[in-house]
Amino acid sequence: MPAVACSAQRVPYSRIRELAEIAMSMDGEVFRLYFGESNLPTPAFIKDAAAKALAGGYTYYTANAGLPSLRRAIAEQYGRLQDVALDPDSEIVVTASGVQALNVGIRTALDPGDEALILTPAWPNGSAIVQMSNAVPVHLAQPLIGDRYEIDFDALERAVTPRTRLLVYTSPSNPLGWVATEDDQDRLLAFARKHDLWLLADEVYDRLYYEAESIGIAAPSILRKATRDDAVMVVHSFSKSYCMTGWRVGYLVARKDLARKAAELNEFIISHAASFAQKAAETAIAEGEPELAEMLARLRSNRDYCLAALKSAPGVTSPRPEGAFYLFPRIHGLRDSFAFCKRLLEETRVGIAPGVAFGAGGEGSVRICYAAERAILEPAMDRLAAFLEKFDPNE
Ligand SMILES: Cc1ncc(COP(=O)(O)O)c(C=O)c1O
């Protein structure tokens, strides 16, 4: 009997999904804070735009790089939010989600046996996609110094080998909520240039940023620093900014040669994102700012609520996130975050993600997604705080 390929077997299953599957098998209500999404529906004007697009004939194949009108809208938005001029014809590839942008971007940069440096704790998909490309992920944990995560540039230097081809980081970070400073960006770019690496910035949470002078200002993109000739690619998604997780629309911005090849490879992966979903994404860009501003105000207040709820929990350190919608509290003495989350789920029906799912530096912490409504968040945080009160890591 033929076996499943070793290269496929080597790719580990997501431990976030593993926890979620236990939760989904339980009868009755579970407070679901384990996935990166809120329970709010996609805004009605976006759903209406999809219905209109279906009625208007957006039911056929599009270009592999996506509808030209959507790429123009993305370029226009990049100019407005980041003051970066992009060529919609050659530097933007629309994808069927952020994860597909990661997939095609990584696949286009790596040969089998190459190594990719990945700043962790990080959402596990980047690492898994490197493995699916028959390449090797090398995790570099971001140290928590005081109450801020940093980048260990000395460790990065030590990790470079002749096979290193790519450096992946996420800003705003899932799960840390950390946002790269200008100095971090300068140093990451200089490091990538010095070692001839592709630099992949996952910026899917760029709109969920709380530190700007006013709400709605995007976290600064690495593209403000890089030239269009740099070996840089940036992953984006409509999932988080517009409550469109189920729609599967994202995009990749990259140097022209990589963008062209990524669009060509799209043909063999998924061909393109669904035509009517692309059209709806165009409407999200055009009309989405007021709802986004409302969501951001709500998320910022949820963040502060959750931080306050954990403040008096014994042995818990929870750095204040600057972006995204996660807290990543460290629980002192915790050695098995999966067992912790499973017990929490079974005893209190609160589902959160185990830190071990996020690679090096993740064990000992848990991830709480605070995008849910208060009616879910408040009882869930009460139960978590009460559980932590009684939790003994040495038990
Ligand atoms: C860091 C990061 N990148 C990419 C994605 C992909 O999002 P999607 O595939 O829904 O566009 C996610 C989703 O959770 C994420 O957290």
Side-chain angles (χ1 to χ4, degrees):
M1 257 228 305
V4 173
C6 294
S7 55
Q9 299 278 23
R10 263 201 306 273
V11 181
Y13 191 52
S14 161
R15 302 221 71 195
I16 310 173
R17 281 269 165 196
E18 205 179 316
L19 195 285
E21 269 156 24
I22 301 174
M24 287 169 185
S25 71
M26 289 165 66
D27 290 327
E29 195 189 13
V30 169
F31 296 114
R32 291 164 33 131
L33 310 182
Y34 40 72
F35 285 150
E37 63 183 353
S38 78
N39 60 326
L40 295 180
T42 306
F45 70 91
I46 300 176
K47 293 195 266 194
D48 292 345
K52 204 167 143 215
L54 279 168
Y58 283 90
T59 56
Y60 300 99
Y61 288 133
T62 73
N64 292 138
L67 288 169
S69 54
L70 175 56
R71 281 182 275 148
R72 280 197 301 275
I74 291 168
E76 184 280 322
Q77 189 188 43
Y78 239 99
R80 186 161 36 83
L81 296 176
Q82 302 284 2
D83 201 19
V84 168
L86 293 177
D87 176 12
D89 294 329
S90 61
E91 292 173 323
I92 297 170
V93 181
V94 175
T95 53
S97 75
V99 70
Q100 201 242 312
L102 260 181
N103 193 304
V104 76
I106 289 173
R107 181 64 196 77
T108 314
L110 294 181
D111 278 321
D114 281 345
E115 291 167 16
L117 306 177
I118 302 180
L119 295 192
T120 58
W123 192 54
N125 293 37
S127 209
I129 292 166
V130 168
Q131 286 176 292
M132 284 175 72
S133 308
N134 293 307
V136 183
V138 178
H139 289 186
L140 286 129
Q142 291 191 241
L144 179 61
I145 297 177
D147 59 359
R148 199 168 192 285
Y149 285 94
E150 305 280 352
I151 300 172
D152 186 344
F153 281 95
D154 293 334
L156 271 177
E157 286 288 348
R158 287 195 301 273
V160 175
T161 76
R163 290 311 302 260
T164 310
R165 286 283 300 278
L166 170 69
L167 168 60
V168 180
Y169 76 99
T170 310
S171 171
S173 156
N174 169 8
L176 303 178
W178 164 87
V179 177
T181 61
E182 284 214 29
D183 185 53
D184 293 332
Q185 290 180 328
D186 286 333
R187 294 181 71 184
L188 285 167
L189 197 53
F191 175 83
R193 285 174 180 156
K194 173 177 163 196
H195 294 288
D196 250 338
L197 308 180
W198 280 99
L199 182 62
L200 189 160
D202 183 334
E203 297 184 357
V204 305
Y205 294 98
D206 64 338
R207 302 304 308 276
L208 309 188
Y209 180 50
Y210 313 111
E211 301 302 308
E213 318 73 86
S214 67
I215 210 140
I217 293 183
S221 172
I222 189 71
L223 292 180
R224 290 190 189 186
K225 302 273 183 190
T227 72
R228 297 294 76 79
D229 292 325
D230 271 311
V232 168
M233 51 182 141
V234 182
V235 166
H236 283 281
S237 169
F238 286 81
S239 289
K240 315 292 175 177
S241 320
Y242 305 108
C243 298
M244 290 176 70
T245 48
W247 294 67
R248 319 310 297 136
V249 191
Y251 60 98
L252 182 73
V253 178
R255 200 178 71 191
K256 290 187 169 79
D257 53 344
L258 187 133
R260 189 183 328 112
K261 196 68 212 174
E264 285 175 16
L265 293 192
N266 248 1
E267 170 62 21
F268 310 117
I269 302 170
I270 185 140
S271 298
H272 59 78
S275 315
F276 54 91
Q278 292 188 55
K279 209 58 198 158
E282 233 174 280
T283 301
I285 290 179
E287 297 171 28
E289 291 302 309
E291 298 230 12
L292 176 64
E294 254 173 54
M295 179 173 78
L296 284 173
R298 196 176 57 77
L299 287 175
R300 192 169 53 183
S301 136
N302 283 2
R303 174 195 68 172
D304 295 341
Y305 176 83
C306 292
L307 279 173
L310 289 181
K311 212 176 171 84
S312 53
V316 174
T317 310
S318 198
R320 200 172 80 109
E322 296 151 351
F325 46 37
Y326 307 103
L327 291 192
F328 199 61
R330 188 172 281 182
I331 301 166
H332 298 290
L334 180 64
R335 283 181 300 273
D336 186 345
S337 55
F338 192 89
F340 175 92
C341 290
K342 187 164 177 280
R343 212 180 112 196
L344 176 76
L345 176 67
E346 287 165 351
E347 290 182 16
T348 72
R349 310 189 74 82
V350 175
I352 57 176
V356 68
F358 301 90
E363 185 53 290
S365 299
V366 292
R367 188 191 72 176
I368 301 163
C369 175
Y370 58 77
E373 283 175 294
R374 279 297 177 90
I376 293 170
L377 212 50
E378 290 182 11
M381 291 309 291
D382 283 349
R383 290 180 191 193
L384 173 61
F387 186 85
L388 282 166
E389 200 66 51
K390 286 188 285 177
F391 177 69
D392 175 2
N394 300 313
E395 234 174 50

